[in-house]
Amino acid sequence: MYRVLLVDDEPYVVEWIAGLLELETEPELDVCRAYTAAQAIQWMDRAKVDIVISDIRMPGMDGLELSRFIRANWPLSKLILLTAYAEFDYAYSAMKTQVDGYLLKSEKDERILEEIHRVIAQLDSQHDLRPVLPTLGTTVGSPEVRGELLARLLQGGSGEELMRQLAQEGLPQKDATPEEAPFYLLLGSTGPQDNAAAYLQQKAGLRQILQYCMNPYFECQPVEADYGYLLWLLIPNWNERPTAAWPVLIEGFLETVQQASFQTFGSRLSFVYRAGIVPLAELRRVYWEMRQRLAGQDTGDSGLILWDRAPAGDTVPPETYSCADMAQQVHRCLYDGDRQGLRAALEQVWQVLGQYGNPDEAAALQLYFAVATQVAGFLGQKTLWGRLGEDARPEVLFRPAAQSSWAQAAEYLCRTAASAAQLVVDEEGRPSANIVAHIRQYIDGNLTDDVSLVKLSEVTGYNPSYLSRVYREISGETLNSYISRKKMALIRTLMQDERLSILDISRRLGFESRTYFNRFVKRNTGLSPSKYRESLG
């Protein structure tokens, strides 16, 4: 799946090309629309964009300026410039901006699709690194010495001498600003590995791939971790900070790493990354926390990217949390079978409860009982009481004071919720079907608003590539097909209301141009909107 961003201040041009691309079935394309360069930048602050097709002449920031912005922030993206002007100076400026394609708006549909497929072929080739793996570099500096010192630290080593040697290798230990000591931690899981020789070969290749894909901004220092896990320190090597939001930038690069890994080795990595500074003295503890985030996931072929949003040690005043919101999040994750989301929600509950220290404060009890009520309701509905062990009883759950300590009560609450969710998954199968149901529920309720794959990713918490693939595997159709089907059903209903004009219906469903609405209806029915309305009687 590739994400294409169309940028033009003339809506009919955007909708024209979008209509062409949304008819394509292979490869699956996630088409995003922007009508100004500012809107395009907003999209790129939300998710990685693989191909940008932009008009050259636009008010404010023009296409050439936008191209320079993309090159600075998303250097692996492909750029195609689109213009109604055939003057040589525009083409020359575009070539100097290092764009990947140049099209006139007067081109026929076939020529536009041909150019886009040419660029897609470049992306496919870019992700298959087998021919160039032997020539790729690994890290700069002294990676072997760094790796050995970091492995000792990960295994529990400490002491002034170890810290001094780490500092000599450019890894300072003091609390520092991101500009002074910005280390981001990344953990990858390859899933179960039976063949040790194949795993070692793959691990070496994956280290090279990561460095190759992340190279625009990071040196990737590998650290020897447990079998089946790959750990890196991401060390920024920028001279000037890019403007893209860091979690989005890192996640975008990791999506590219996943694609390259699949193209090169046929395997899908899952990642969790710590979105904040990691002091090296905390390396061992943070590593185990991140492993817990990946634990229990079907990581071998899932392609998940998890953002560790609440770094340990970052304290947030408990009053900034809403008990109702946290309890509702636990409720949603339990009933959706979302183990990843549940783990994150319970970590948040645990963190907040732990900041109180004892149950005497009303706010602590309010949060505890709000979550306990959701857990008890789930246990009752799924008839799980008594199946999680002798201590899984309502009278235990609702009496935190009966535990030996407040920490013990909080741990019991979170453990009971996690165990219940795991038991349901073991008995009912993987939670992917629940993800599909959740996506459909959101789309059905928001058809007239933003139902792009990027928005669905933000709603569910899963990265877009994973969502797209899982949805297609489980449902047998693409997300675009489902959205089109639901929109046509709504159009059919609205067209039976004689008080609404076709323009009213088009606007109500969020179509930016009447031309695109006409094309959408004809593509799905074979008739123009007016003829389709007549056919409904």
Side-chain angles (χ1 to χ4, degrees):
M1 188 274 295
Y2 289 116
R3 185 168 299 111
V4 182
L5 176 62
L6 307 175
V7 191
D8 199 304
D9 61 315
E10 297 177 295
Y12 81 89
V13 174
V14 172
E15 304 302 347
W16 160 47
I17 300 178
L20 292 177
L21 299 183
E22 288 173 349
L23 284 172
E24 298 295 291
T25 56
E26 291 297 337
E28 184 180 356
L29 300 176
D30 179 31
V31 181
C32 304
R33 299 163 172 81
Y35 306 98
T36 65
Q39 289 180 2
I41 291 172
Q42 289 174 359
W43 272 111
M44 288 181 283
D45 280 344
R46 295 171 67 189
K48 182 191 76 164
V49 175
D50 299 292
I51 303 172
V52 178
I53 303 174
S54 174
D55 187 18
I56 288 184
R57 285 191 173 179
M58 294 184 293
M61 179 187 288
D62 65 20
L64 297 180
E65 292 176 280
L66 178 61
S67 299
R68 286 188 281 271
F69 170 86
I70 295 169
R71 278 286 173 251
N73 287 275
W74 295 105
L76 300 179
S77 295
K78 297 295 183 181
L79 302 170
I80 299 175
L81 289 181
L82 185 69
T83 183
Y85 304 92
E87 294 99 336
F88 175 77
D89 58 337
Y90 273 88
Y92 181 68
S93 297
M95 287 186 285
K96 287 203 302 183
T97 315
Q98 297 180 316
V99 301
D100 301 281
Y102 182 82
L103 283 169
L104 298 177
K105 293 182 182 179
S106 57
E107 304 272 16
K108 294 182 179 179
D109 292 357
E110 294 77 11
R111 171 72 184 99
I112 291 175
L113 289 174
E114 177 186 326
E115 182 68 2
I116 292 170
H117 280 285
R118 182 186 68 80
V119 171
I120 288 173
Q122 289 181 355
L123 287 171
D124 288 338
S125 176
Q126 177 178 298
H127 293 149
D128 186 355
L129 300 179
R130 283 172 293 184
V132 296
L133 271 182
T135 66
L136 294 180
T138 52
T139 54
V140 299
S142 50
E144 294 82 7
V145 175
R146 284 182 178 178
E148 175 62 29
L149 294 172
L150 291 168
R152 287 168 55 191
L153 193 62
L154 193 65
Q155 293 162 9
S158 60
E160 292 184 5
E161 177 59 22
L162 177 56
M163 297 305 176
R164 185 187 65 78
Q165 292 181 53
L166 285 166
Q168 286 180 341
E169 294 301 318
L171 302 175
Q173 276 299 292
K174 64 178 181 177
D175 292 335
T177 66
E179 288 74 17
E180 294 171 328
F183 307 120
Y184 298 85
L185 202 59
L186 172 67
L187 180 65
S189 170
T190 61
Q193 298 289 328
D194 297 324
N195 187 318
Y199 165 71
L200 291 174
Q201 182 180 9
Q202 182 186 29
K203 182 172 74 169
L206 288 172
R207 285 179 171 174
Q208 291 175 298
I209 288 174
L210 189 81
Q211 182 66 45
Y212 173 78
C213 294
M214 306 286 277
N215 183 62
Y217 293 121
F218 294 98
E219 175 194 344
C220 303
Q221 172 64 57
V223 184
E224 284 300 323
D226 298 291
Y227 194 71
Y229 290 93
L230 307 171
L231 183 67
W232 292 270
L233 281 185
L234 303 182
I235 305 172
N237 58 17
W238 57 70
N239 294 320
E240 182 177 344
R241 274 177 177 267
T243 58
W246 276 110
V248 176
L249 186 72
I250 293 176
E251 186 167 313
F253 283 139
L254 292 182
E255 282 191 16
T256 303
V257 173
Q258 287 179 330
Q259 289 171 310
S261 172
F262 184 71
Q263 292 280 88
T264 307
F265 295 106
S267 63
R268 298 187 189 277
L269 287 173
S270 285
F271 290 105
V272 58
Y273 66 97
R274 175 57 61 91
I277 303 305
V278 178
L280 289 182
E282 303 283 318
L283 180 66
R284 179 177 171 82
R285 177 182 61 78
V286 175
Y287 165 70
W288 282 103
E289 288 178 357
M290 294 172 72
R291 274 198 54 174
Q292 285 184 322
R293 292 294 310 276
L294 286 175
Q297 300 288 341
D298 298 310
T299 55
D301 191 40
S302 65
L304 285 169
I305 297 176
L306 309 178
W307 175 17
D308 205 353
R309 297 170 184 266
D314 288 0
T315 57
V316 180
E319 59 270 17
T320 65
Y321 289 105
S322 163
C323 292
D325 288 346
M326 281 192 281
Q328 185 59 37
Q329 180 72 357
V330 170
H331 170 91
R332 183 194 69 77
C333 294
L334 281 171
Y335 285 91
D336 284 354
D338 181 359
R339 289 177 297 170
Q340 171 207 340
L342 179 64
R343 186 174 292 107
L346 293 176
E347 284 176 359
Q348 187 183 55
V349 171
W350 171 270
Q351 182 187 20
V352 176
L353 288 177
Q355 290 180 36
Y356 286 103
N358 65 74
D360 295 334
E361 299 177 59
L365 289 177
Q366 181 184 2
L367 174 59
Y368 181 95
F369 284 115
V371 175
T373 299
Q374 298 296 340
V375 174
F378 181 76
L379 290 168
Q381 181 173 327
K382 298 290 186 179
T383 63
L384 295 176
W385 288 115
R387 298 171 59 193
L388 297 177
E390 294 183 0
D391 63 341
R393 304 190 305 274
E395 59 269 26
V396 177
L397 184 65
F398 285 103
R399 289 187 61 208
Q403 301 286 349
S404 59
S405 67
W406 177 239
Q408 186 80 20
E411 190 274 336
Y412 170 80
L413 171 67
C414 297
R415 174 165 45 85
T416 302
S419 299
Q422 182 62 51
L423 182 59
V424 170
V425 168
D426 289 344
E427 293 182 352
E428 298 181 0
R430 294 177 62 187
S432 303
N434 293 312
I435 297 173
V436 170
H438 185 51
I439 291 172
R440 286 178 170 172
Q441 182 182 27
Y442 182 84
I443 291 172
D444 293 351
N446 296 274
L447 268 177
T448 59
D449 297 318
D450 182 7
V451 287
S452 66
L453 187 55
V454 174
K455 181 64 177 180
L456 294 174
S457 171
E458 293 168 350
V459 169
T460 62
Y462 292 100
N463 53 295
S465 297
Y466 172 78
L467 265 188
S468 174
R469 184 167 51 83
V470 166
Y471 186 90
R472 189 170 189 173
E473 289 174 356
I474 297 298
S475 69
E477 67 176 340
T478 65
L479 271 167
N480 282 339
S481 297
Y482 180 76
I483 293 170
S484 294
R485 194 155 49 79
K486 300 302 290 187
K487 282 190 174 183
M488 276 309 306
L490 182 55
I491 288 170
R492 178 187 178 92
T493 299
L494 294 176
M495 280 192 167
Q496 294 174 11
D497 186 345
E498 296 180 354
R499 296 170 299 178
L500 296 175
S501 69
I502 290 178
L503 183 59
D504 291 335
I505 296 170
S506 171
R507 288 173 174 171
R508 184 170 294 192
L509 271 85
F511 287 88
E512 291 289 337
S513 77
R514 174 68 182 273
T515 301
Y516 179 52
F517 178 76
N518 293 347
R519 182 176 296 176
F520 178 83
V521 174
K522 188 163 187 177
R523 184 181 75 200
N524 285 278
T525 67
L527 302 171
S528 67
S530 57
K531 292 293 185 182
Y532 178 63
R533 187 171 217 171
E534 290 175 8
S535 72
L536 298 177

